[in-house]
């Protein structure tokens, strides 16, 4: 189930949840993807039911949350971290992005679709004072609908990934796959972030994992234990056998907790961002919400922070989930790129939030 959320007239507090079938977001070979899904709105109860059968969801008074003690029970959405409702088709739900601003032409005309010019001609003449008041009111309404009233939010997420092969090579050549400079920069600027750790990363950089996982500025998600791909042909990642995938998710969660992480969320990211219908069904018993992203920095190997920042800022929009790396060896430009991205986002009026806040808003838990 892939989830898109489009805001209504009320910012954040009244969000329309919409569903798209996983195949609808697929490339030629299936739904193995990092790309975002286009929002779609069911037009009838029948359409809503059809979307539900295909892996969609509607707002539910309860959600599945993984507690720190490992108890994966259905709990009330008043708990710290909300997850999307489990799919009736038995697939892990996928959260791609949060609230979206409506397109300038998205609002329906209240007068049968008449052009704005025609409606203006039909209005009685106004004196200058009333006309000025009306214009201000219309401008305020347009600002609200365009997302300028506090719903311009974006989530920054960072993948702290390490595989067994990567750890072995790092021990041989002395290279590091952590990024304390990046974490320090986020702390200096007080930027909330969601960090997805592989279990092997948490084990290798235990003190850093513990520090991140006990700082309320950050929340931590699971990136599996081995950081092997859950599909075939996922970039340069070796594939993990399907019968080992569920155990790898659980092992990753256990390793992250063992490192001392207290802010572990029930959120999961598929290694490499690659998943398909089978992998979503396979790990469903782990009761996680998979978090993808609609803005992928693709900064692996890039040494120019300006280029990384430009890629992110070009595609950013209200509700975006940005995917970056927490790896000073494989993504050496990320720290400096973030120093460019954050001020520009603030200048554009964005508010940076945790993924949990986006999901809670999508679930009507403002």
């Amino acid at each position: 189930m892939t989830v898109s959320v489009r805001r209504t007239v009320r910012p954040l507090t009244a969000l329309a949840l919409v569903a798209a079938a996983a195949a609808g977001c697929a490339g030629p070979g299936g739904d193995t993807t990092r790309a975002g899904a286009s929002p779609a709105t069911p037009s009838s109860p029948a359409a809503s039911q059809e979307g539900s059968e295909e892996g969609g969801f509607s707002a539910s008074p309860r959600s599945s949350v993984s507690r720190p003690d490992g108890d994966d029970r259905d709990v009330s959405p008043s708990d710290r971290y909300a997850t999307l409702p489990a799919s009736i088709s038995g697939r892990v739900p996928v959260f791609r992005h949060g609230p979206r601003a409506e397109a300038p032409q998205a609002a329906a005309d209240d007068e049968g679709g008449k052009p704005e010019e025609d409606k203006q001609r039909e209005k009685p003449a106004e004196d200058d004072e009333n006309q000025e008041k009306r214009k201000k009111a219309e401008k305020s309404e347009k600002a609200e609908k365009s997302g300028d009233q506090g719903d311009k939010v974006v989530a920054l997420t960072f993948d702290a990934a390490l595989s067994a092969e990567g750890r072995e090579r790092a021990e041989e050549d002395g290279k590091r796959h952590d990024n304390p400079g990046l974490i320090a920069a986020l702390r200096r600027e007080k930027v909330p972030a969601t960090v997805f750790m592989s279990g092997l990363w948490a084990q290798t950089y235990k003190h850093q994992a513990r520090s991140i996982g006990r700082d309320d500025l950050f929340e931590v998600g699971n990136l599996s234990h081995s950081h092997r791909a859950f599909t075939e042909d996922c970039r340069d990642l070796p594939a993990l056998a399907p019968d080992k995938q569920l155990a790898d998710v659980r092992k990753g969660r256990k390793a992250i907790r063992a490192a001392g992480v207290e802010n572990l969320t029930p959120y999961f990211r598929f290694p490499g961002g690659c998943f398909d219908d089978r992998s979503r069904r396979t790990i469903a018993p782990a009761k996680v919400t998979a978090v993808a992203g609609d803005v992928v920095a693709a900064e692996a190997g890039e040494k120019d922070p300006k280029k990384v920042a430009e890629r992110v800022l070009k595609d950013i929009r209200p509700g975006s989930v940005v995917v970056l790396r927490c790896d000073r060896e494989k993504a050496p430009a990320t720290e400096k790129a973030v120093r460019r991205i954050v001020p520009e986002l603030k200048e554009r009026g964005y508010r940076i939030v945790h993924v949990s806040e986006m999901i809670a808003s999508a679930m009507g838990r403002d």
Side-chain angles (χ1 to χ4, degrees):
M1 177 186 68
T2 300
V3 177
S4 297
V5 181
R6 183 186 294 275
R7 70 182 290 278
T8 60
V9 175
R10 292 175 57 200
L12 289 181
T13 59
L15 299 171
L17 305 181
V18 288
C25 307
D31 71 349
T32 301
T33 178
R34 267 191 185 271
S38 300
T41 304
S43 58
S44 68
S48 298
Q49 178 65 23
E50 181 181 353
S52 180
E53 292 296 331
E54 289 298 324
F57 80 101
S58 59
S60 169
R62 299 180 67 80
S63 59
S64 176
V65 177
S66 295
R67 292 184 172 184
D69 60 4
D71 184 10
D72 297 332
R73 296 181 297 173
D74 283 342
V75 294
S76 71
S78 62
D79 284 55
R80 183 171 186 182
Y81 302 113
T83 63
L84 304 180
S87 168
I88 62 174
S89 58
R91 294 181 292 190
V92 163
V94 179
F95 183 81
R96 291 184 186 277
H97 53 71
R100 296 282 172 149
E102 291 186 76
Q105 302 301 322
D109 251 323
D110 292 333
E111 298 184 27
K114 292 181 180 180
E116 184 64 26
E117 294 81 359
D118 292 347
K119 290 192 290 182
Q120 290 295 336
R121 284 196 293 267
E122 293 172 5
K123 293 181 179 179
E126 300 172 322
D127 56 42
D128 291 344
E129 183 178 355
N130 288 337
Q131 190 175 32
E132 185 65 25
K133 288 181 179 180
R134 178 181 57 77
K135 287 182 178 180
K136 287 183 178 180
E138 290 176 350
K139 184 177 181 180
S140 176
E141 182 180 359
K142 287 180 180 179
E144 179 180 348
K145 289 183 178 180
S146 67
D148 291 337
Q149 299 297 315
D151 70 337
K152 288 183 68 174
V153 297
V154 62
L156 299 183
T157 69
F158 299 87
D159 288 0
L162 188 64
S163 64
E165 296 83 358
R167 183 165 67 172
E168 185 177 341
R169 288 194 298 269
E171 290 173 351
E172 293 176 354
D173 57 26
K175 293 180 180 179
R176 304 278 298 190
H177 297 283
D178 56 346
N179 199 335
L182 168 64
I183 301 301
L186 293 170
R187 282 177 168 145
R188 279 195 303 271
E189 298 299 323
K190 296 181 172 57
V191 179
T194 303
V195 181
F196 288 89
M197 298 179 186
S198 69
L200 285 171
W201 191 97
Q203 288 179 342
T204 305
Y205 305 111
K206 184 174 180 179
H207 294 299
Q208 290 188 54
R210 182 176 184 273
S211 175
I212 293 169
R214 296 193 175 191
D215 187 339
D216 285 340
L217 189 64
F218 306 110
E219 58 185 18
V220 177
N222 183 0
L223 194 57
S224 82
H225 183 72
S226 65
H227 198 248
R228 290 181 177 272
F230 282 48
T231 64
E232 299 289 341
D233 302 322
C234 181
R235 299 172 174 77
D236 59 346
L237 295 180
L240 183 66
D243 61 351
K244 295 182 179 180
Q245 291 177 1
L246 176 59
D248 202 57
V249 174
R250 288 171 168 164
K251 187 176 181 180
R253 181 164 58 194
K254 184 176 180 180
I256 294 169
R257 286 178 178 148
V261 171
E262 294 180 350
N263 294 342
L264 180 58
T265 68
Y267 308 141
F268 174 76
R269 174 161 287 159
F270 284 96
C274 302
F275 59 87
D276 56 18
D277 185 72
R278 179 203 49 74
S279 60
R280 290 169 62 194
R281 291 180 186 276
T282 298
I283 70 167
K287 295 186 177 180
V288 295
T289 289
V291 177
D294 61 315
V295 179
V296 181
E299 79 273 43
E302 179 60 67
K303 296 182 179 180
D304 187 348
K306 183 178 179 181
K307 290 182 179 179
V308 175
E310 287 175 348
R311 290 172 192 163
V312 171
L313 294 170
K314 176 176 66 71
D315 296 329
I316 208 84
R317 50 181 174 163
S320 285
V321 176
V322 182
V323 181
L324 294 142
R325 291 194 181 197
C326 182
D327 187 327
R328 65 172 119 169
E329 175 61 31
K330 291 187 175 180
T334 304
E335 177 192 343
K336 292 182 179 179
V338 167
R339 292 181 183 178
R340 291 171 174 263
I341 292 168
V342 170
E344 178 63 25
L345 289 177
K346 292 180 178 179
E347 180 69 22
R348 295 184 187 183
Y350 282 93
R351 183 168 61 92
I352 302 172
V353 302
H354 290 135
V355 165
S356 61
E357 182 172 335
M358 279 193 171
I359 295 180
S361 294
M363 295 297 295
R365 289 178 47 188
D366 302 312

